[in-house]
Amino acid sequence: MGVFKVVFVTTILFWWCKENEMAKVVAETAELPKAIVRRVVKEKLSQLSGDETDMILHQEALLAFSESARIFIHYLSATANDICKESRRTTINADDVLKALDEIEFFEFAEPLKAALDEFRKKNAEKRAGSSKTNEVTKKRKIDLHAAAENGDLREKDEEDEGEDEKEEENNGDSESLHD
């Protein structure tokens, strides 16, 4: 069912783009990177066909896939934004995107996205745990260095104080001998 939707939307957009010369209208900044689109399409088609031979994509087909993906992203993000606004928030989160997928009836995309999201969150949690350990070690080193610097400063002050004490003793000794 999902492949049918993608092929159908791609075919419609291909003909629409060709008739309206959409390739000239779309700014390059709004286009998806062609190399990435080509790689994704080739990987998916080779998975579906089970054939490992290198597929050749016509330039117009690549444009149609790219435009289809761009329009899908815009439609999905607009729907997720609407869901976000209904919740009186300004930041779209992953749950908004998942709800938007359900709302635009792309149910088959929700599970793979949830799995990818869980994996992403798990990796981030591991990174945070690793970085917090690193931060703790770094903080401990800074505290130790700061304490050592303070102790070094105290030692210098102690040496200065001892020098002043010796001068005072010398002065006191001199004054005592004068008094005798």
Side-chain angles (χ1 to χ4, degrees):
M1 182 75 169
V3 174
F4 175 74
K5 284 182 184 178
V6 172
V7 171
F8 177 73
V9 170
T10 303
T11 305
I12 298 289
L13 287 171
F14 171 72
W15 290 110
W16 185 76
C17 289
K18 190 173 181 179
E19 289 179 12
N20 293 314
E21 296 181 16
M22 188 66 177
K24 294 178 184 175
V25 176
V26 175
E28 284 187 25
T29 57
E31 290 180 6
L32 296 173
K34 290 180 184 177
I36 293 173
V37 173
R38 178 181 285 118
R39 187 182 71 224
V40 169
V41 170
K42 283 185 174 186
E43 285 176 5
K44 191 60 180 179
L45 290 176
S46 67
Q47 280 179 354
L48 293 174
S49 69
D51 191 11
E52 294 297 322
T53 59
D54 192 27
M55 289 194 170
I56 299 172
L57 291 173
H58 194 273
Q59 188 66 25
E60 290 177 350
L62 185 62
L63 176 65
F65 278 117
S66 180
E67 278 301 298
S68 299
R70 189 182 68 77
I71 291 170
F72 176 75
I73 291 169
H74 283 219
Y75 184 52
L76 181 63
S77 61
T79 306
N81 189 44
D82 292 342
I83 291 169
C84 182
K85 284 182 179 179
E86 287 172 4
S87 301
R88 294 188 176 109
R89 290 180 286 109
T90 57
T91 304
I92 298 172
N93 61 35
D95 292 330
D96 296 331
V97 176
L98 291 169
K99 289 176 188 174
L101 282 172
D102 288 341
E103 192 170 306
I104 63 174
E105 298 179 3
F106 277 84
F107 307 110
E108 62 274 6
F109 290 178
E111 284 306 313
L113 179 60
K114 285 178 187 176
L117 183 62
D118 289 341
E119 184 178 327
F120 174 77
R121 287 176 176 166
K122 189 177 183 180
K123 285 181 181 178
N124 270 353
E126 290 171 359
K127 284 181 183 178
R128 285 188 197 135
S131 69
S132 66
K133 288 178 184 176
T134 303
N135 288 342
E136 288 175 16
V137 170
T138 304
K139 285 180 185 178
K140 186 176 179 180
R141 287 181 185 161
K142 286 182 181 178
I143 291 170
D144 291 345
L145 289 174
H146 184 66
E150 285 182 357
N151 289 340
D153 289 343
L154 292 176
R155 287 185 195 138
E156 290 175 9
K157 288 181 183 178
D158 289 343
E159 291 171 5
E160 290 174 8
D161 291 343
E162 287 176 12
E164 290 177 10
D165 290 342
E166 291 173 3
K167 288 180 184 177
E168 287 179 10
E169 287 177 11
E170 290 174 5
N171 290 338
N172 287 342
D174 291 343
S175 63
E176 289 178 4
S177 61
L178 293 175
H179 292 294
D180 292 338

